[in-house]
Amino acid sequence: VAVRNRRVTSADIAQATGVSRATVSYVINGVTTQSISEATRARILAAAADLGYTPYGPAKTLATGKSSLVLLVLPDWPIGYGINLLLDELEKQLATNGLSLVMHRLARPGERVADAWKAIGPFAVIGLGGIDDVEAQAMTRAGVELVTMTLSGTGAPAAIGRPQIEIGRLQARHLARTGHSVLGYAFPDDDRVVAYSEPRLEGVRLACADLGLAEPVVLTVPQDAEKAAMAVRQWKSRGVTGICAYNDQFALAVLAGLYELGMRAPDDLAVVGCDNDPAGRLAAPPLTTIDINLEQTARRLAALVIGAYKGQPAPQNDGPLASRLVVRRSAP
Amino acid sequence: VAVRNRRVTSADIAQATGVSRATVSYVINGVTTQSISEATRARILAAAADLGYTPYGPAKTLATGKSSLVLLVLPDWPIGYGINLLLDELEKQLATNGLSLVMHRLARPGERVADAWKAIGPFAVIGLGGIDDVEAQAMTRAGVELVTMTLSGTGAPAAIGRPQIEIGRLQARHLARTGHSVLGYAFPDDDRVVAYSEPRLEGVRLACADLGLAEPVVLTVPQDAEKAAMAVRQWKSRGVTGICAYNDQFALAVLAGLYELGMRAPDDLAVVGCDNDPAGRLAAPPLTTIDINLEQTARRLAALVIGAYKGQPAPQNDGPLASRLVVRRSAP
DNA sequence: GTGAAAGCGCTAACAT
DNA sequence: ATGTTAGCGCTTTCAC
């Protein structure tokens, strides 16, 4: 068994079996519009297995002009556990339609997706954020379908949205309903997520105004127990009794700050997070949070891509994605 | 501005500028072995921008026979925050060498990576687990470089390893050193990670044997406070005072179990996790853990891939990756 | 039922 | 300094 340098091509297997490359292609791809005698089919399959043949994606993509890859672009902020739900569902949906999901993470803030999608030449790109108009146009021009998540709930044709403002509203309303009248907001110390943190905070503000409560006391909370403790102290000194946090990570920081000071939720400060992170379920006390239903999100995203793949017409707009309050002991 | 169906190709820009496709290629790729007059260079670049030209990856890959993509295969178990460090570093290292990192997650247990890597035709595949010998061979035969992480610290030529057994050892030694003589092990309720959980537990066993301690009391701990509380009760009833957990997730579950029972670490039970997950830092109390240095891991992985890309000779074996104890209050 | 041939978009000798 | 040409591996129409 000599070491082979050259890639095994369909021509090799054509030669080995004494048929043409066209026939090989038909068999390998199980083309139904072309009848092939059982004998040659078997011979070809055997030779393929024997030689260890592997179709070469780029050549196939070039020839057909259509890739079976879908590129999911992940933003440059940290990936949390929630992403797993999204990926599982997306992968499953796409796979059953013959599409493969690959991901690319924007590592440096402001990095262009360009290098990745150009090299891949995917059928579609799913953007979770971090794709600007210039790039969006370039993709469309290059014939790549673009499906994005928008923040508002409206946007480009193939876009689905989750109104971030609703998240803040849900948080604030829950606290108001359970007797809190002076709220605080735990703002993230991470510039990369302002596109999310601002509208969420705005939702809290609006809810407070609606319900006749005071303006929320906004404090930036680092991922650090001692610094979070300082924030807690400030909130307490200003009469705050309930905190809406940007997400569960920062809610956990508030919990840690309380713990530092020998206090505890919900007695000293009620706190509600967002994302329904598994770590929140195991926190002390378990965290009240907002579930953003990533599976539904994935299904919608997949539907848009698959629709385009099958050449289906205009994507029906199913309206904005829903978020849901999950009550646990940190804000009962 | 009419809608264009056809992809803009280098031929279009050659025609527009009245030069040959070769010249266009030279300019677009900034080939230095070929001198191009400043005038034509400028004209070509202008036309490219004007027409919105985007090089088509698959065609380039086919022509050169070498892809600039590196595929990172993620195992089918949940991705944690730790992955961010790995990705950041890997992405950075590869990008500075002209390589793009893309990821594919094995969504269904037992899913073959095949579909993904065949469609992509990457230069290299980095396997974090879940790639069996059959697939490894197929890749190698297809001319794809394969770099893997092994569990033992030894393995295939282009492999780096972290002895999982060391993690258990570090956990147990720390507890023994701080006065605990009856240890418990929080075993994950997730079959997908047995390849990791077994050797980690084995490390605890070996350390106990070495130090003359009793066999560790192994209990399966679900990610659920109440069920974890039952485990805590059992441990307490069997005289256990210190717990080594499979990872921080399960350590958090133990902490939650303690909290359920009105107990707390480290007084009632000391607990040591693994992974240095940010959620552990914010736990109550902050979690003692093992840092597995994912940045170093990423650098090693990247070095192997980049070495192969540059056609460098045999990869020097830098030995196994080191893990490090991080002491916090859950097991001081 | 099978083969011949053209072509997908790009690169890289080699010629000029 | 620029053009010609021959592929890379695969698909697909059309002819046999």
Side-chain angles (χ1 to χ4, degrees), chain B residues 231-306:
Chain B
V232 167
R233 229 190 245 119
Q234 265 201 63
W235 275 318
K236 292 296 285 183
S237 75
R238 297 180 59 178
V240 169
T241 62
I243 304 295
C244 304
Y246 167 66
N247 71 9
D248 287 347
Q249 280 290 301
F250 291 92
L252 288 179
V254 174
L255 252 31
L258 284 165
Y259 179 81
E260 254 350 90
L261 299 173
M263 302 181 181
R264 44 182 297 172
D267 303 338
D268 295 292
L269 222 41
V271 5
V272 182
C274 174
D275 281 355
N276 201 4
D277 187 306
R281 261 200 12 241
L282 298 175
L287 206 55
T288 292
T289 190
I290 307 291
D291 188 307
I292 57 174
N293 200 346
L294 255 11
E295 292 196 25
Q296 182 200 22
T297 309
R299 277 195 296 274
R300 292 270 198 95
L301 252 13
L304 250 23
V305 172
I306 293 165

Side-chain angles (χ1 to χ4, degrees), chain B residues 106-181:
Chain B
L106 265 17
R108 298 147 287 162
E111 179 199 345
R112 284 296 165 94
V113 221
D115 296 339
W117 75 258
K118 285 183 184 169
I120 297 173
F123 166 72
V125 169
I126 301 178
L128 256 34
I131 295 183
D132 58 31
D133 286 350
V134 177
E135 287 216 292
Q137 276 178 32
M139 288 183 207
T140 310
R141 230 172 7 227
V144 176
E145 299 287 330
L146 179 60
V147 171
T148 52
M149 290 230 23
T150 62
L151 302 163
S152 53
T154 62
I160 65 174
R162 169 186 316 284
Q164 298 293 318
I165 220 168
E166 268 314 312
I167 291 173
R169 273 219 182 85
L170 282 169
Q171 292 176 315
R173 287 219 191 99
H174 174 64
L175 289 174
R177 197 187 311 124
T178 52
H180 298 272
S181 54

Side-chain angles (χ1 to χ4, degrees), chain B residues 72-96:
Chain B
L72 175 67
V73 177
L74 301 171
D76 64 340
W77 56 78
I79 297 171
Y81 284 100
I83 198 77
N84 292 302
L85 293 169
L86 198 266
L87 294 182
D88 281 349
E89 188 64 25
L90 209 47
E91 183 95 52
K92 197 168 68 186
Q93 299 278 342
L94 295 178
T96 58

Side-chain angles (χ1 to χ4, degrees), chain A residues 158-174:
Chain A
I160 64 173
R162 170 186 315 285
Q164 298 292 316
I165 221 170
E166 268 314 311
I167 291 173
R169 273 219 183 87
L170 282 169
Q171 293 177 314
R173 287 219 191 100
H174 174 65

Side-chain angles (χ1 to χ4, degrees), chain A residues 19-20 22-23 34-35 37 40 62-63:
Chain A
V19 300
S20 73
T23 307
Q34 185 59 248
S35 55
S37 74
T40 47
L62 181 59

